[in-house]
Amino acid sequence: RTGARTPATAPGCGLLFFDNPVALLDDPGLRDADDVDATEQGCLLGDLTSSTSLTGLYATTAITSSRIGPPYTQTRSVSQEAADELTAYYHATRARQYLDAIGFPAVMAYPIAIDAHDPSAGDNSYYDPAVKEIHYGTGGVDDAQDPDVVYHEYGHAIQDDEVPGFGDTLEAGSIGEGFGDYW
């Protein structure tokens, strides 16, 4: 995998969930209080434009309350929100980099705003097309700690970027959910 780094020695590296801990540990009973820190991995936080926050060319956690700052190498998954913010930033950035790699540089040509731990969302996450933001819920296991959820919500942002208002009917909404899962 690209971007793997040893967090203690690599500048611009963060300790985050590269893979979904539930899938990685094959334990669907995991909850937020479970210690899954051993599944965190060091990854390069690409395209940062700030030296003090997770703000970059393709993603920003500016709407996340209690934002973290560097170093990004001492995160914990239990009772701390840094793992949420790092994982969401990393995977949203990675999704946008992939769009460039496959020849779609004009898609999502702005930094998506991310709320990595929105307690008002409960056990749900969503993309808000009115303000072009992604909000990750905190019920059960924090959704931002699951890269699959990060990519799914980013998929909704892609659709809205390409076809504003897409998903307003039942059929289009169903297609949107399928695309989010595929993405």
Side-chain angles (χ1 to χ4, degrees):
R1 100 184 126 64
T2 41
R5 299 291 187 272
T6 303
T9 60
C13 181
L15 198 55
L16 53 91
F17 293 106
F18 186 80
D19 298 300
N20 173 349
V22 172
L24 193 64
L25 297 172
D26 193 24
D27 185 354
L30 284 177
R31 294 294 174 258
D32 211 25
D34 295 326
D35 183 357
V36 294
D37 294 343
T39 65
E40 290 180 303
Q41 298 175 27
C43 295
L44 185 62
L45 300 171
D47 298 310
L48 282 169
T49 57
S50 171
S51 61
T52 60
S53 65
L54 291 172
T55 299
L57 294 175
Y58 306 129
T60 177
T61 60
I63 61 172
T64 300
S65 64
S66 305
R67 290 178 82 190
I68 60 167
Y72 302 116
T73 56
Q74 301 296 320
T75 66
R76 291 192 41 77
S77 61
V78 177
S79 301
Q80 294 185 22
E81 298 166 338
D84 302 356
E85 192 174 344
L86 280 160
T87 301
Y89 174 85
Y90 174 81
H91 289 287
T93 296
R94 205 163 168 247
R96 178 55 182 78
Q97 290 167 335
Y98 182 69
L99 287 169
D100 275 348
I102 62 173
F104 294 98
V107 177
M108 297 298 295
Y110 64 92
I112 187 76
I114 295 169
D115 187 337
H117 40 263
D118 181 351
S120 70
D123 194 11
N124 189 29
S125 294
Y126 62 94
Y127 167 72
D128 185 343
V131 289
K132 303 200 179 312
E133 298 174 348
I134 298 175
H135 294 256
Y136 295 100
T138 58
V141 174
D142 293 353
D143 286 354
Q145 291 183 19
D146 182 348
D148 295 337
V149 175
V150 175
Y151 288 110
H152 176 93
E153 296 307 329
Y154 197 87
H156 291 305
I158 290 171
Q159 284 187 309
D160 181 60
D161 186 60
E162 291 304 288
V163 183
F166 186 88
D168 287 344
T169 67
L170 177 61
E171 291 84 6
S174 298
I175 291 169
E177 291 305 314
F179 178 78
D181 288 345
Y182 175 78
W183 180 253

